[in-house]
Amino acid sequence: MLKSHLIAQLVNLLAAGLLLISFAMLSRRRTQRLILLYAWQGAILCLSTCLVAYDAGLTELYYSAALTLILKVIGLPWILHRLIERLGAQWDREPVVNIPLTMLIGLVLVIFAFGLAQPISEMATTITRNTLGIALAVILLSFLMMITRRKAVTQVIGFLAMENGLFFAATSATYGMPMVIELGIALDVLVGVFILGIFFFQIREQFDSLDLHHLEALKED
Amino acid sequence: MPMPPFTFHAALLFPAHFLPLLLDIVAGWIILGLLGLFRPRSLRLTAHLLFPLGAAACLGVAILSGVFLATGHAPELMVLPLGLPNLPFHLRLDALSAFFLLLLGVSGAGISIFAAGYFRSGEGTAPALLCLQYHVFLASMAVVVLANDAYLFMVAWETMALTSYFLVTSQHRIPEIRRAGFLYLLMAHLGALCILLCFGVMQGGSWQFTFDAMRQASLTPFWATIAFLLALLGFGAKAGLVPMHAWLPEAHPAAPSPVSAMMSGIMLEIAIYGLVRISFDLLHVQYWQWGVIVLIVGLFSALFGAIFAAVQTDMKRLLAYSSIENVGIIATAIGLAILFEASHLPLFAALALCAALIHALNHSLFKSLLFLATGCVLHATRQRSLGKLGGLIRRMPWVAALALIGTLAIAGLPPLNGFVSEWLLLQSFLFTPRIPHAFLNMLIPLGAAALALIVALAAYVMVKFYGIIFLGQHREASLVHAHDANWLERLGLGWLALGCILIGVFPQLAIRAADSVTGPMLGATVDSQSSLWRIAPIAPEQASYSGSIFLLGILAVIGISFLAVRILAHGRIRRTPAWDCGYPWQTPRMQDTAEGFGQPIRHMFGAILHLELQLPSPTDDPPRYRVHIEDRFWRTLYEPVARAVRRTADAIAVLQSGRLSIYLLYSFLTILVLLVFVL
């Protein structure tokens, strides 16, 4: 009982870390930093999954933790890092909405997410049910990051962070998704990053920059 | 009481189950199409092997379904474990499907053998691809007829629409053809949407989409009527009933001639099949008002088609409008049948439905024949405009002779097949006073008058069609080099012409086939009094017709005149130039033109047409005469709808700002709103 309580506390702590990282991502403008933060997010996710797996005695969750470690802590950050070096896209431009305002909107979103998660958390039986609000907040914050950034690379990082949030929501609410689905999602994310990487090169070739406002010209009148 | 000639042998020669064999043929068509892909550019493979084999398969379908009809088998059911999980394909072969398969087989055989000789290399789509599309088109039409659940029906129906779209746009480098194809695809999809909704209504809350379940479903009068109207809209769009006809005069001229023949000769009839299947079989004809609607739509389409055909100057457009007219006649007959059936007069309903079915069969024969003949003319002269043809009877005697049979048949002259169905339809109009509705039985005879007008106009159109193309003098010097059809083309044309003559002379055959449809469906058959020599659909003292005696009479008159001339005037014949009416100097330009031929009709029915006329002024050099005829429905129906769609689209397009962050914001807000609603 005590052990379980301790683990729940630890998971809550990690969840708080996850939320903090999300806010950090919102405020950062250097892409390399963002990738580092993304990797940290993955590491926390991996750790918390391991803890949940230990507590619930589910071997499946260990596998998904391992998958997280390989893909989100090592694989994707490395790919993105290489991409950015080759593209020379170290800096994002001034965001659409300035950073302090974004943080304020983020706060509102966190409150909103907690309000939403309240009724679900009461239904859930897992030890990690309190973290569902945080998971939801991470999803919304990542989405907010995608909206406010101008460069394609940062949007992709936002997209990946959103996936992290979804993963966390799944582990905290129902001890994770079935293995098949998890593998599928992991593969999707990997392939998605590859395809987006190709798109980066195409966009840069066309417009000599990764700035997305050039894409506005593609609109059909 | 004559026996069907092959009842005895059929039982010995043919297997007890027809449906598996028919499905084998359908699969065979698809395999034939795929075989061509091994050598996509090889015209010899497709022309000398695949199309003739396809024609043989058509013949097989015709024989199988003919035997099925003649022996009066019980309906055959089959479930194929294909398609989606838990949603297998249901198939059913009954008399109605067999009748339309017979139609498909007979016309398809002629068209396929013609197509073997028709397609040339280097024109648009590669021959093997055309061959694939063509055979998948055939197969999908056969499956539409055999389908016994809404799912398979829609799959086959859409396959039919798509393959025919690709066939229409086989010369896709020409912008007008792409435009015509798009219009066709649009109308086909609107129609398919209506049919889909119709099935949705007809399942009646059971969520079972097999036709068997739909037969059992009990619908309220309101929903039954909605289902019927949706079916009329959907199938009407495919069949070309006014006002959903706009695609027809665009798509038919755009397509290669065998494809036009298939679309006009078979596909339109398949749409008629759908209408008959749904209104008689699945909805069990409940209200006489349905009949009145179909009757009015049919008569109007027929009149509209005939008038527009009379003023066309493009030979394929002329035939396309003539198709609208013929489909209108078929719809008129169906409307009458519904009216009689709902008034509990099954015998007369059987007569009207019989007229509809036989006219469908006839139309598929003579319209295919004429479209194929225009294909020959097109290949020989590269001209579609009537104003540049003329005098081809001397250069293309085969095509001219065979087209003459089709022309006479479509004009409704005895002893050819067009007369039979139109006569049957007029007969059924004569029984409308028995309908127990005071106003209806007074008003419907007006329909008979309209029908007589339509038939006369159709004859007028055909005189114009044949006269301008084949008679007179060449209007262009290049026509001297026109060549006749090759032997495969002649074979195809001859097969269809033979069908026209056979049904005309022995209408008993067609009536017997139609009887085996009306018997199970309406519980009445019409030919109880017929013999080998004559048909008497209701009673011999009422009316009877004998194609064979008519033919014998014609032959006798010709023979007697020939002999009389030979015997009485023998040796005293001398050849002189024909009397030139006092105008010894005549040029091709002095002949009546297509425009001139249509002028009286243009004048009389000016109110229906939208006419733009430019007359030459006396000082013009050279004088120009230009007349442009437009369908009024374009301005009154299609353009407003198109504008409304455009306006709506523009209003929605405001959302499309082009900025990625705005798009993301849309999804973000959607998620937030959904979350608030759900939780």
Side-chain angles (χ1 to χ4, degrees):
Chain A
M1 193 61 221
L2 188 70
K3 185 186 79 179
S4 190
H5 188 70
L6 186 69
I7 287 176
Q9 286 299 322
L10 270 177
V11 170
N12 278 344
L13 182 68
L14 290 174
L18 214 54
L19 190 61
L20 201 64
I21 291 177
S22 285
F23 270 103
M25 278 175 135
L26 268 183
S27 65
R28 288 288 150 178
R29 281 175 54 205
R30 269 198 71 166
T31 12
Q32 304 285 23
R33 276 279 165 215
L34 280 177
I35 291 170
L36 196 63
L37 286 171
Y38 173 71
W40 271 113
Q41 216 178 26
I44 290 177
L45 210 54
C46 174
L47 201 57
S48 77
T49 314
C50 280
L51 284 175
V52 173
Y54 174 69
D55 178 66
L58 289 169
T59 30
E60 261 194 13
L61 276 179
Y62 283 120
Y63 294 134
S64 66
L67 200 67
T68 310
L69 185 71
I70 295 167
L71 196 65
K72 291 175 187 164
V73 185
I74 303 167
L76 288 176
W78 184 71
I79 294 173
L80 285 170
H81 181 76
R82 289 282 309 275
L83 257 178
I84 287 162
E85 282 199 333
R86 283 183 59 188
L87 289 163
Q90 276 82 358
W91 286 87
D92 198 349
R93 278 194 6 208
E94 190 66 25
V96 182
V97 184
N98 66 29
I99 287 173
L101 189 57
T102 318
M103 302 295 262
L104 284 178
I105 297 174
L107 275 181
V108 174
L109 283 178
V110 171
I111 293 165
F112 177 76
F114 272 91
L116 276 181
Q118 195 77 35
I120 307 177
S121 305
E122 281 164 13
M123 284 188 286
T125 52
T126 57
I127 54 158
T128 50
R129 58 179 177 271
N130 300 327
T131 55
L132 189 66
I134 293 182
L136 210 54
V138 170
I139 297 171
L140 294 179
L141 288 175
S142 314
F143 211 142
L144 184 64
M145 184 175 124
M146 281 174 78
I147 294 175
T148 54
R149 295 309 171 98
R150 288 181 195 262
K151 288 238 169 157
V153 183
T154 28
Q155 291 203 329
V156 169
I157 296 170
F159 171 73
L160 292 172
M162 199 160 78
E163 202 273 332
N164 273 348
L166 277 174
F167 183 84
F168 191 60
T171 34
S172 59
T174 62
Y175 289 135
M177 293 170 267
M179 202 59 197
V180 182
I181 298 180
E182 216 154 274
L183 278 174
I185 294 177
L187 191 69
D188 276 356
V189 168
L190 194 63
V191 171
V193 168
F194 276 118
I195 293 175
L196 290 168
I198 295 166
F199 269 122
F200 292 157
F201 283 102
Q202 291 293 332
I203 292 172
R204 200 181 57 157
E205 201 137 290
Q206 283 294 322
F207 302 110
D208 283 329
S209 127
L210 274 177
D211 208 326
L212 286 175
H213 80 261
H214 294 293
L215 292 181
E216 287 168 31
L218 296 177
K219 176 189 160 196
E220 211 177 316
D221 283 316
Chain B
M1 186 67 201
M3 293 291 287
F6 32 58
T7 314
F8 279 114
H9 312 288
L12 296 174
L13 280 176
F14 290 97
H17 296 292
F18 291 85
L19 192 49
L21 285 175
L22 286 169
L23 286 179
D24 288 344
I25 293 182
V26 167
W29 272 327
I30 295 173
I31 291 169
L32 275 184
L34 292 174
L35 278 181
L37 295 182
F38 284 111
R39 300 190 56 195
R41 286 271 150 211
S42 163
L43 191 67
R44 289 184 55 185
L45 175 68
T46 52
H48 291 162
L49 186 67
L50 299 181
F51 273 113
L53 279 178
C58 284
L59 212 56
V61 168
I63 292 170
L64 281 176
S65 45
V67 171
F68 181 87
L69 283 173
T71 50
H73 266 67
E76 287 179 25
L77 290 166
M78 217 169 141
V79 179
L80 280 188
L82 294 171
L84 295 178
N86 293 329
L87 212 56
F89 289 157
H90 295 77
L91 295 135
R92 184 170 190 262
L93 176 70
D94 60 3
L96 182 63
S97 357
F99 186 88
F100 280 88
L101 280 177
L102 176 71
L103 178 157
L104 182 139
V106 171
S107 301
I111 299 170
S112 289
I113 202 75
F114 179 93
Y118 180 83
F119 287 117
R120 311 278 200 269
S121 57
E123 289 180 0
T125 312
L129 216 51
L130 264 180
C131 174
L132 174 66
Q133 291 159 1
Y134 180 93
H135 285 111
V136 174
F137 185 36
L138 262 178
S140 63
M141 288 195 289
V143 175
V144 165
V145 173
L146 289 173
N148 196 32
D149 65 297
Y151 169 52
L152 177 59
F153 187 95
M154 287 315 294
V155 169
W157 185 263
E158 289 290 43
T159 312
M160 179 176 96
L162 284 179
T163 44
S164 52
Y165 164 75
F166 285 115
L167 284 168
V168 165
T169 53
S170 67
Q171 307 251 8
H172 51 84
R173 299 201 191 284
I174 305 171
E176 288 90 54
I177 288 183
R178 285 202 301 273
R179 191 179 157 271
F182 175 74
L183 182 66
Y184 168 54
L185 198 63
L186 188 70
M187 295 298 286
H189 274 94
L190 283 179
L193 208 61
C194 290
I195 297 170
L196 196 64
L197 290 176
C198 165
F199 284 134
V201 173
M202 280 199 303
Q203 48 83 20
S206 68
W207 299 104
Q208 290 288 313
F209 285 93
T210 60
F211 284 176
D212 291 327
M214 289 180 192
R215 280 187 196 98
Q216 311 297 331
S218 56
L219 298 174
T220 60
F222 174 74
W223 284 111
T225 306
I226 292 285
F228 175 76
L229 290 178
L230 283 171
L232 183 61
L233 261 177
F235 292 115
K238 195 61 145 191
L241 288 175
V242 177
M244 289 85 74
H245 63 285
W247 63 272
L248 222 137
E250 306 295 326
H252 283 309
S257 289
V259 176
S260 317
M262 285 267 274
M263 288 174 70
S264 187
I266 306 179
M267 194 181 75
L268 301 192
E269 273 68 39
I270 297 294
I272 295 292
Y273 159 82
L275 189 59
V276 173
R277 170 69 76 196
I278 286 189
S279 47
F280 285 92
D281 191 16
L282 302 187
L283 287 174
H284 320 288
V285 181
Q286 294 157 10
Y287 309 99
W288 58 267
Q289 289 91 336
W290 298 359
V292 176
I293 295 171
V294 180
L295 187 69
I296 290 171
V297 170
L299 276 175
F300 186 74
S301 302
L303 190 62
F304 180 90
I307 292 168
F308 268 82
V311 297
Q312 294 306 313
T313 53
D314 175 320
M315 58 180 178
K316 289 183 89 175
R317 273 180 92 87
L318 182 145
L319 289 182
Y321 276 110
S322 158
S323 290
I324 296 178
E325 176 231 315
N326 279 291
V327 164
I329 290 177
I330 298 171
T332 307
I334 291 176
L336 265 188
I338 294 175
L339 202 53
F340 281 128
E341 179 68 8
S343 309
H344 306 292
L345 298 166
L347 181 60
F348 305 142
L351 178 62
L353 192 61
C354 186
L357 293 174
I358 295 179
H359 198 73
L361 180 59
N362 292 342
H363 178 239
S364 105
L365 288 170
F366 50 58
K367 189 50 65 65
S368 313
L369 173 56
L370 291 180
F371 263 120
L372 296 180
T374 60
C376 289
V377 171
L378 200 60
H379 263 174
T381 64
R382 314 233 154 256
Q383 291 293 350
R384 255 172 40 195
S385 167
L386 289 171
K388 300 195 170 162
L389 296 166
L392 289 177
I393 194 166
R394 282 183 291 280
R395 299 284 153 209
M396 313 176 71
W398 274 94
V399 176
L402 294 169
L404 180 63
I405 294 173
T407 313
L408 293 178
I410 200 170
L413 293 182
L416 292 165
N417 61 350
F419 178 78
V420 176
S421 45
E422 282 166 10
W423 183 76
L424 285 172
L425 180 54
L426 273 173
Q427 286 296 317
S428 48
F429 260 113
L430 295 182
F431 293 107
T432 46
R434 310 265 182 98
I435 294 174
H437 296 283
F439 278 110
L440 277 183
N441 58 27
M442 280 187 273
L443 286 175
I444 289 178
L446 289 180
L451 185 70
L453 173 68
I454 291 158
V455 172
L457 276 174
Y460 181 90
V461 169
M462 283 306 131
V463 170
K464 167 179 169 176
F465 174 80
Y466 194 80
I468 303 268
I469 296 179
F470 291 106
L471 305 182
Q473 300 182 16
H474 303 309
R475 288 187 175 78
E476 297 274 309
S478 61
L479 297 186
V480 179
H481 305 298
H483 53 85
D484 207 350
N486 59 35
W487 68 274
L488 280 169
E489 291 173 328
R490 284 180 209 169
L491 194 61
L493 291 174
W495 168 260
L496 294 168
L498 184 71
C500 288
I501 295 172
L502 211 64
I503 293 180
V505 177
F506 298 108
Q508 297 86 336
L509 295 176
I511 290 188
R512 189 174 290 279
D515 265 346
S516 43
V517 178
T518 57
M521 200 182 263
L522 304 173
T525 55
V526 296
D527 84 327
S528 53
Q529 304 287 324
S530 302
S531 65
L532 190 62
W533 290 103
R534 59 156 195 209
I535 49 168
I538 300 297
E541 62 272 13
Q542 197 117 34
S544 63
Y545 164 70
S546 167
S548 41
I549 291 176
F550 219 103
L551 180 67
L552 287 180
I554 291 174
L555 290 179
V557 169
I558 292 174
I560 289 169
S561 340
F562 182 74
L563 285 178
V565 170
R566 249 359 229 301
I567 293 164
L568 297 179
H570 192 62
R572 281 177 285 152
I573 300 170
R574 78 195 153 91
R575 284 178 182 271
T576 58
W579 184 47
D580 53 22
C581 304
Y583 290 100
W585 180 72
Q586 283 182 338
T587 69
R589 292 203 54 195
M590 292 162 78
Q591 303 174 85
D592 204 353
T593 59
E595 286 87 354
F597 228 98
Q599 198 275 337
I601 302 291
R602 270 206 316 268
H603 194 72
M604 280 185 271
F605 296 97
I608 297 183
L609 313 164
H610 181 85
L611 206 64
E612 276 174 34
L613 198 63
Q614 277 182 359
L615 290 173
S617 87
T619 54
D620 278 358
D621 183 45
R624 275 183 192 284
Y625 172 82
R626 205 181 68 85
V627 59
H628 179 69
I629 292 158
E630 207 184 66
D631 200 334
R632 265 187 193 277
F633 281 98
W634 273 113
R635 278 165 196 256
T636 51
L637 181 68
Y638 286 87
E639 283 179 12
V641 169
R643 273 201 300 273
V645 169
R646 236 204 139 73
R647 266 202 303 276
T648 323
D650 282 343
I652 294 171
V654 174
L655 290 175
Q656 188 203 16
S657 58
R659 292 182 62 177
L660 214 55
S661 46
I662 300 287
Y663 295 163
L664 287 169
L665 195 64
Y666 290 150
S667 356
F668 189 62
L669 291 178
T670 312
I671 288 177
L672 287 193
V673 169
L674 285 179
L675 281 173
V676 167
F677 268 110
V678 171
L679 299 176

